[in-house]
Amino acid sequence: MELLRSYNPILVGTIPIDIHVSSSDLDIVCEVYDFDAFVAYTSAAFQCEERYQHTVHSDMLNPYAVVNFRFQGWEIEIFAQPIPTTRQNGYRHMMVEHRILQLLGSDGYDAIRQLKENGYKTEPAFAELLQLEGNPYEGLLELADWDEEQLSQFIIRFRSCD
């Protein structure tokens, strides 16, 4: 994280909200506007690490870069976009997932971990648990925009249907 500090890194995903399983990786989001400089920097910093690779997707509407490598037994993925890290989808997903888990309590944590152990990715696991229709990534982003009252009411209704 220290090496990435100029890119406003945030560790997102399952580990910060305590739903990781043995196959979980470390996901880091970064705010990047110059992808050439970012790739040059991360290549210099991490190219000697096991399984290092990077890709840049330069679609003008949604440019992003992904850097992957293995470090001290962890698979690491760095996802970079020209968007403040707290507005990136990975961060927004994690925040709403945390809010949902707080409302569901320990049973929710256990259920999500079990779905993940059974092969579900995180967002599809939440969609399965909450019976969300459609694209799980978009569905969670919709929930992320809800205030606490709306989310609480949804969870109450969800629980009453169990």
Side-chain angles (χ1 to χ4, degrees), residues 104 129-131 153-162:
L104 291 174
L129 180 66
L130 299 174
Q131 302 166 9
Q153 290 302 313
F154 173 76
I155 296 300
I156 289 169
R157 281 194 304 277
F158 162 74
R159 283 186 153 177
S160 68
C161 295
D162 272 352

Side-chain angles (χ1 to χ4, degrees), residues 10-80:
I10 298 176
L11 179 64
V12 299
T14 61
I15 292 171
I17 59 174
D18 195 27
I19 56 169
H20 54 285
V21 295
S22 61
S23 61
S24 293
D25 63 356
L26 294 172
D27 295 306
I28 301 168
V29 293
C30 289
E31 180 179 353
V32 172
Y33 296 93
D34 182 342
F35 289 104
D36 291 335
F38 177 74
V39 167
Y41 178 77
T42 56
S43 292
F46 305 119
Q47 72 181 350
C48 292
E49 301 301 335
E50 186 180 346
R51 299 186 203 159
Y52 173 84
Q53 65 179 24
H54 69 267
T55 56
V56 176
H57 301 268
S58 57
D59 173 339
M60 293 305 288
L61 293 176
N62 299 303
Y64 65 93
V66 180
V67 175
N68 298 92
F69 57 93
R70 187 170 177 79
F71 180 74
Q72 295 183 352
W74 288 96
E75 295 294 331
I76 297 177
E77 179 170 280
I78 303 169
F79 184 84

